[in-house]
Amino acid sequence: MSTLPRKRKKDPLDGKPVTAPQQMTRSLQNDPICIEATNVSVQYAVKRTAFWTLRRDTLHALRSVSVSLKRGEILGIVGESGSGKSTLGRVLAGIERPHSGSVRFAPHCHVQTIYQDASSALNPFMTVRASLLEGINARRRAPLSYQGTALDSERALLTCVGLDEAIATRKPHALSGGQKQRVAIARALAAAPDALIADEPISALDVSIQAQIINLLGNISEHLGIAVAFIAHDLGVVRHLCERTIVLYMGDIIEEGPTSELFRAPAHPYSRALIAAAPDVNQKIPAASPLHTPRGAPPAPLESPSALRQLPGCTYLGRCPVADTERCRDHAPTLRNTEEPPVSASYTAHAYRCHFTPAEQRERAANATDVAS
């Protein structure tokens, strides 16, 4: 068991993480799960100016989030801007140190990140070949993790991501957006990772190129057995690519489960609102229904009392169309399985965070409509 070096607690400065001594153990020997985050919370100290007075608050970016990433699977992470998707991705990659909770990795588990802007991820002064060789040589210098792979040369890496060997002598400025993203993926694969954290890797690309990158990630996961955490706004892409999906709202996981089940029968009002808002010619959820229409606009994290003070109730209270004011304000709902009676908890279960069952939600929405009419 290895432990990361302890960090001293930092003074609350604007945008700086509030950290505490935290163990990140590698104790998943012979386990199909390569990364497991348990009750992870991430907080940031922020400075705000109100009426010429400087105030210091704490932004709760993640709240007791538990996520597991299985070898060879593709996990979708969705939610509005400010929901904590990228923060969770950095935690899973080991870049962000959680304030509380634990992150466990399988022995010798290597994680690489694919970013949205491939231009910023690649060194503009290095050729494609030099960038790939840098990753390969770094892997070779780690004898405990290097066991040999078919992707042991820049030629094999370029072939794997669908690029011609001729571009190996080019620099990033001479590549198109899709080629840059493919090179970034190849460079991540050069380190022989067990898991990839893909933080919106297609949002800056044309639609036709997006489809190619999506298929590429799917093939990589299937044929190389690499786990992928896919962070995205596009629910159609997540539905097509991912096996499991988690839905984040204001740092909380409000629903999780198999992608097909979650999209077929979403159990949380926020999940219904997201799916209803996504353009889909085969969509069966009526967008005009009060059950699928949230109240108001999504709050900015720095303007939300729940995000700054971690109020005891439900984070979705202010926008939920079926909320009970007193109950939802005073008590935070826990994750519950959709099956009745509840089944044992596992990463394959379909669970949601709400005080009301889907049937109760429909009844409350119908009653609210009758009162309004």
Side-chain angles (χ1 to χ4, degrees):
M1 182 180 295
S2 62
T3 305
L4 292 180
R6 290 180 178 268
K7 291 186 177 180
R8 64 181 181 86
K9 221 169 191 178
K10 296 184 179 180
D11 294 331
L13 298 176
D14 187 25
K16 298 295 184 180
V18 180
T19 62
Q22 176 62 38
Q23 290 188 336
M24 300 177 71
T25 60
R26 302 179 181 272
S27 56
L28 295 176
Q29 184 76 38
N30 301 322
D31 196 299
I33 298 175
C34 60
I35 307 176
E36 185 176 47
T38 306
N39 295 327
V40 165
S41 295
V42 175
Q43 303 171 8
Y44 295 99
V46 294
K47 293 189 296 185
R48 306 170 66 207
T49 303
F51 300 104
W52 301 281
T53 302
L54 180 64
R55 293 180 50 189
R56 291 183 175 180
D57 290 313
T58 299
L59 175 64
H60 298 268
L62 292 178
R63 310 157 180 266
S64 298
V65 170
S66 296
V67 178
S68 60
L69 187 58
K70 185 181 178 183
R71 299 179 189 274
E73 77 164 346
I74 303 180
L75 171 68
I77 304 175
V78 302
E80 295 170 321
S81 297
S83 60
K85 303 187 302 298
S86 295
T87 301
L88 178 57
R90 291 195 297 270
V91 168
L92 295 177
I95 300 172
E96 188 83 34
R97 191 180 182 88
H99 177 259
S100 62
S102 63
V103 182
R104 298 191 299 160
F105 299 88
H108 313 306
C109 176
H110 292 268
V111 185
Q112 292 289 312
T113 303
I114 303 171
Y115 295 100
Q116 175 180 352
D117 185 5
S119 299
S120 300
L122 299 174
N123 190 326
F125 303 105
M126 296 177 65
T127 63
V128 171
R129 174 177 286 114
S131 293
L132 298 181
L133 286 176
E134 185 180 49
I136 292 173
N137 292 333
R139 182 184 64 196
R140 287 173 174 170
R141 290 194 295 268
L144 289 179
S145 63
Y146 179 69
Q147 300 176 357
T149 174
L151 305 179
D152 203 21
S153 68
E154 68 274 15
R155 177 185 301 178
L157 287 167
L158 290 175
T159 301
C160 178
V161 298
L163 290 175
D164 191 89
E165 186 185 355
I167 75 164
T169 57
R170 300 181 189 176
K171 292 184 178 179
H173 72 271
L175 304 177
S176 66
Q179 289 175 328
K180 290 178 186 178
Q181 195 59 276
R182 289 176 183 268
V183 171
I185 295 173
R187 193 178 187 281
L189 294 177
D194 299 282
L196 291 174
I197 309 300
D199 191 355
E200 301 192 38
I202 63 171
S203 58
L205 304 176
D206 295 335
V207 175
S208 59
I209 306 300
Q210 287 182 2
Q212 298 173 15
I213 299 299
I214 291 167
N215 292 333
L216 174 60
L217 290 174
N219 290 334
I220 287 173
S221 177
E222 179 180 358
H223 294 105
L224 299 181
I226 297 175
V228 179
F230 187 79
I231 301 171
H233 283 98
D234 193 330
L235 297 184
V237 172
V238 172
R239 189 173 191 172
H240 168 75
L241 179 66
C242 302
E243 302 166 35
R244 281 194 305 129
T245 300
I246 65 173
V247 183
L248 284 172
Y249 183 80
M250 299 298 288
D252 273 332
I253 292 181
I254 54 97
E255 189 163 358
E256 62 179 335
T259 302
S260 58
E261 178 67 18
L262 192 149
F263 276 81
R264 184 188 66 82
H268 193 281
Y270 178 67
S271 301
R272 292 193 186 95
L274 283 181
I275 296 173
D280 186 354
V281 294
N282 297 318
Q283 189 174 131
K284 298 180 180 180
I285 297 178
S289 170
L291 185 58
H292 314 119
T293 306
R295 300 173 182 171
L302 292 181
E303 302 300 328
S304 170
S306 179
L308 292 175
R309 291 191 287 275
Q310 198 167 10
L311 300 179
C314 178
T315 54
Y316 195 55
L317 171 63
R319 303 182 65 200
C320 183
V322 299
D324 178 277
T325 306
E326 183 176 351
R327 182 180 180 183
C328 297
R329 181 190 60 210
D330 298 335
H331 304 283
T334 57
L335 278 174
R336 57 195 293 184
N337 290 326
T338 55
E339 290 82 0
E340 297 291 346
V343 298
S344 59
S346 71
Y347 65 87
T348 58
H350 183 189
Y352 64 103
R353 191 183 300 273
C354 184
H355 289 302
F356 306 104
T357 65
E360 292 171 336
Q361 294 172 24
R362 288 191 291 270
E363 181 180 355
R364 292 181 64 83
N367 292 338
T369 303
D370 293 341
V371 171
S373 59

